[in-house]
Amino acid sequence: MNSEGCKIDFSALAAAGFNEEAADERFAGMGQLYEECLLLYFRSDNITKLEQMAAEHDWENVGKCAHTLKGSAGNLALEPLYDIYAQICSCARSGETSGIPAMLRRARELESAFRKAAGCADIPAE
C-alpha cells in the first residue's frame, strides 16, 4: 500500500491495458517510483481540464493538453490511453474535431478503469 492508501493491483492494470514490461523497462524496475508517478497522474486530473477545453471549443489547447496526456500515458505504459490521446491530439491539430467528444468519453472510461484497477478510484484531484 502506498502513501495514498492505494494497493496497486498490477494484474488488474494489465487486464485494463497496462504494459508491465514497458513500465518495468522505463522505470528500471523501480516499482515504488512507478507508483508515485501513477498517483501524480491520477491526482492531476488533467482529463477534466481537457474536457473543459473541448466544451469551450478551444481546439489549440485541446491539442496541447492531449499531447501532454499522451506523453504521460505513454511513460506510464497505459497504452490504450496513449492511443486515444494521440488520436485526440491529431484531430485537434488537423481541425477534424467532430469525433473528439466521443474520444473524450472513451478516455474518461479508460481513466476510470485504470484508477479502479490501481485501487485508486477515490483519489481526489489536486
Side-chain angles (χ1 to χ4, degrees):
M1 196 164 299
N2 55 44
S3 62
E4 295 290 333
C6 300
K7 171 121 176 58
I8 296 180
D9 180 347
F10 286 96
S11 297
L13 275 177
F18 163 69
N19 183 331
E20 190 168 3
E21 184 178 312
D24 190 50
E25 183 177 314
R26 187 163 290 120
F27 285 84
M30 293 184 282
Q32 181 65 35
L33 177 60
Y34 179 85
E35 288 185 27
E36 289 173 21
C37 291
L38 184 64
L39 292 172
L40 283 170
Y41 175 80
F42 288 151
R43 280 196 308 266
S44 73
D45 195 33
N46 282 323
I47 188 171
T48 297
K49 296 170 190 144
L50 180 60
E51 290 166 334
Q52 290 169 344
M53 290 172 200
E56 296 167 0
H57 302 278
D58 184 357
W59 303 121
E60 181 179 350
N61 283 319
V62 164
K64 290 176 183 178
C65 186
H67 180 78
T68 298
L69 286 167
K70 178 183 77 163
S72 296
N75 283 324
L76 292 167
L78 305 174
E79 293 180 352
L81 275 173
Y82 173 89
D83 292 341
I84 198 83
Y85 288 133
Q87 291 174 19
I88 293 169
C89 187
S90 177
C91 288
R93 288 181 175 168
S94 71
E96 297 293 326
T97 60
S98 63
I100 289 177
M103 289 179 230
L104 284 172
R105 285 190 297 277
R106 180 66 183 138
R108 177 60 78 177
E109 291 169 2
L110 289 166
E111 289 241 356
S112 294
F114 279 119
R115 283 175 174 264
K116 184 177 178 183
C120 300
D122 297 325
I123 271 193
E126 289 186 341

